[in-house]
Amino acid sequence: MAELKLSESRDLTRIERIGAHSHIRGLGLDSSLEPRDVSEGMVGQTQARKAAGVILQMIKDGKIAGRAILLAGQPGTGKTAIAMGMAKSLGLETPFSMLSGSEIFSLEMSKTEALMQAFRKSIGVRIKEEAEVIEGEVVEIQIDRPAVSGAASKTGKLTLKTTDMETVYDLGAKMIEALGKEKVQSGDVIAIDKASGKITKLGRSFSRSRDYDAMGPQTKFVQCPDGELQKRKEVVHCVTLHEIDVINSRTQGFLALFTGDTGEIRAEVREQIDTKVAEWREEGKAEIVPGVLFIDEVHMLDIECFSFLNRALENEMAPILVVATNRGITAIRGTNYKSPHGIPIDLLDRLLIVTTQPYSVDEIHKILDIRCQEEDVEMSEDAKQLLTKIGHETSLRYAIHLITAAALNCQKRKGKVVEVQDITRVYSLFLDVRRSTQYLMEYQKEYMFNEASMVDGGEDDADAMHD
């Protein structure tokens, strides 16, 4: 009998890809904001992490707005990792948006508009509203289906109770459909929003816990609600100012949020929204949640963008701006002047500067250990030591890139654990910057448009013209 081969079904809704910072879970600080040596994917950089933790606490307390922080350090010293750690530590409630310095030049809008939209994406509005809710335990559902198909629509009755009262409600076709979708049955505790008719299943009543011998792990038991069936509940919605801008800037603006084609938003629209949000704040209907805007490679911005940032940071509705750069003293884009980190002095004066230090050999070893776990690669201790040495002498990024390459080489030779020979093999296959530069210096005459050949070619042409 032929063997049946079952095809593996993969869940396509979950995208599990390993990124450069997918191992970062937070800043790795304890309750007193002291950095742990290795925690939440973070290693070393204790001073920078402690500084980020203090800023994080100020953001959570809502004490800080319109401030800017500069993460400055050499390439591969964990600047973006610290920003990602901040984003993870803030949680879902606080808006966090990321932007690359060069990104704003490739958008179909002006530079200042792109920056303004990024600013508004980083400011959250927590809107509170009271909703009327019917909440109770389902005693019975009766649905009368018509005998003849195509006749009158379904009708029914729903009996709900709390510990104090019991009421029977008449059901229309829409409510019957909604109850069917949620698979509501007697013994469930449900909440019905009166305005929208949305049904939420809160769980199963404790009084019905013995109805079945076995229950699924997702079954949640709750107490039967007390008091009246009809209650007023406070519902909180969290949106960003940019989302409110887009929805109000055009008809069916909410569709633009999904397509990403938001276009330029007029200043008048923003002013009206700011006025309305200010009114809501005074009435206690809404509160502002200043989030974080992270701009990587900030030296790529030009002088116009920097002067805009200067002005935007003074606005009372400004988020916390975190910028990162790996440049030293370099030219400010759009001018001939040089400045530290390629940022004008007046903006540098507004920044709290946090520096990152190069990693020690021990820290590189710990980082490679974490990356091996993240990439699901089993590696021998000798191979890790060699990879640490490579990382120290070349760069940490190069060493991290070699992990998966070495694992594939190990698979090819039918091995289970990555050994020194696998590291040596991929080290010889893939060059680092230093060896690549050395190769270029040796063979630069063989390449097109190199400086040496340009000079030689120029001299030959001059001799030919002279003859």
Side-chain angles (χ1 to χ4, degrees), residues 348-360:
L348 268 177
D349 200 30
R350 293 170 191 266
L351 301 173
L352 291 169
I353 302 171
V354 177
T355 56
T356 54
Q357 308 301 325
Y359 289 110
S360 66

Side-chain angles (χ1 to χ4, degrees), residues 120-138:
R120 308 266 299 181
K121 276 178 192 168
S122 311
I123 302 161
V125 184
R126 204 177 277 133
I127 302 164
K128 299 170 193 161
E129 65 173 5
E130 280 198 342
E132 287 211 349
V133 178
I134 298 167
E135 196 176 273
E137 181 189 326
V138 179

Side-chain angles (χ1 to χ4, degrees), residues 84-321:
M84 294 296 287
M86 284 177 77
K88 292 276 167 68
S89 302
L90 280 170
L92 298 171
E93 285 282 291
T94 311
F96 184 95
S97 46
M98 288 185 79
L99 188 72
S100 176
S102 54
E103 207 175 301
I104 63 164
F105 297 100
S106 57
L107 295 167
E108 291 177 356
M109 58 181 88
S110 66
K111 295 175 285 191
T112 51
E113 174 64 21
L115 280 171
M116 179 54 94
Q117 287 195 12
F119 260 68
R120 308 266 299 181
K121 276 178 192 168
S122 311
I123 302 161
V125 184
R126 204 177 277 133
I127 302 164
K128 299 170 193 161
E129 65 173 5
E130 280 198 342
E132 287 211 349
V133 178
I134 298 167
E135 196 176 273
E137 181 189 326
V138 179
V139 179
E140 189 183 13
I141 303 174
Q142 286 179 333
I143 296 166
D144 304 324
R145 289 179 177 81
V148 186
S149 59
S153 58
K154 295 177 194 170
T155 55
K157 283 185 168 58
L158 171 69
T159 312
L160 286 178
K161 71 161 187 178
T162 64
T163 51
D164 299 352
M165 62 186 290
E166 189 172 309
T167 313
V168 180
Y169 293 95
D170 288 328
L171 299 174
K174 271 192 178 176
M175 285 301 287
I176 290 169
E177 196 182 323
L179 287 165
K181 263 189 187 170
E182 288 291 326
K183 297 187 175 65
V184 174
Q185 57 188 35
S186 59
D188 288 344
V189 177
I190 61 167
I192 305 168
D193 187 346
K194 274 189 83 176
S196 62
K198 186 180 175 235
I199 295 171
T200 314
K201 207 164 157 182
L202 304 174
R204 195 139 177 83
S205 174
F206 273 116
S207 60
R208 299 294 192 100
S209 59
R210 298 183 186 276
D211 278 14
Y212 305 104
D213 292 338
M215 290 281 182
Q218 69 280 4
T219 308
K220 188 171 131 194
F221 287 103
V222 292
Q223 293 285 359
C224 177
D226 54 4
E228 294 207 0
L229 273 163
Q230 217 159 300
K231 295 185 179 106
R232 289 182 79 81
K233 278 206 165 180
E234 194 176 73
V235 185
V236 179
H237 305 283
C238 292
V239 287
T240 65
L241 279 179
H242 175 66
E243 286 167 355
I244 303 173
D245 291 347
V246 173
I247 289 164
N248 289 284
S249 66
R250 58 174 85 179
T251 51
Q252 295 195 318
F254 63 92
L255 292 174
L257 284 174
F258 298 106
T259 58
D261 177 28
T262 53
E264 298 216 3
I265 296 162
R266 295 196 319 278
E268 299 84 56
V269 174
R270 289 206 173 109
E271 279 172 23
Q272 285 173 0
I273 287 162
D274 287 350
T275 311
K276 194 71 190 165
V277 170
E279 272 178 38
W280 289 344
R281 279 175 72 189
E282 281 176 21
E283 291 167 12
K285 282 184 185 174
E287 57 179 290
I288 299 291
V289 185
V292 178
L293 171 60
F294 175 58
I295 304 177
D296 209 353
E297 310 293 334
V298 73
H299 52 264
M300 292 301 291
L301 299 181
D302 62 10
I303 191 73
E304 292 169 34
C305 297
F306 286 128
S307 56
F308 173 81
L309 287 178
N310 262 335
R311 176 73 192 84
L313 283 170
E314 289 173 352
N315 192 338
E316 61 174 27
M317 279 201 193
I320 316 300
L321 179 67

Side-chain angles (χ1 to χ4, degrees), residues 2-62:
E3 263 187 45
L4 284 172
K5 284 193 176 178
L6 294 172
S7 62
E8 282 185 32
S9 64
R10 296 181 66 189
D11 187 3
L12 295 177
T13 54
R14 292 178 68 200
I15 301 171
E16 289 185 358
R17 294 200 67 192
I18 297 162
H21 300 105
S22 55
H23 62 285
I24 305 290
R25 314 268 184 269
L27 281 171
L29 305 171
D30 60 20
S31 55
S32 59
L33 300 182
E34 284 296 323
R36 299 188 192 96
D37 195 28
V38 180
S39 178
E40 294 179 329
M42 296 294 273
V43 177
Q45 302 299 357
T46 50
Q47 288 297 102
R49 275 159 58 203
K50 193 172 181 180
V54 172
I55 290 154
L56 201 70
Q57 196 57 45
M58 291 163 89
I59 296 166
K60 283 179 180 173
D61 293 347

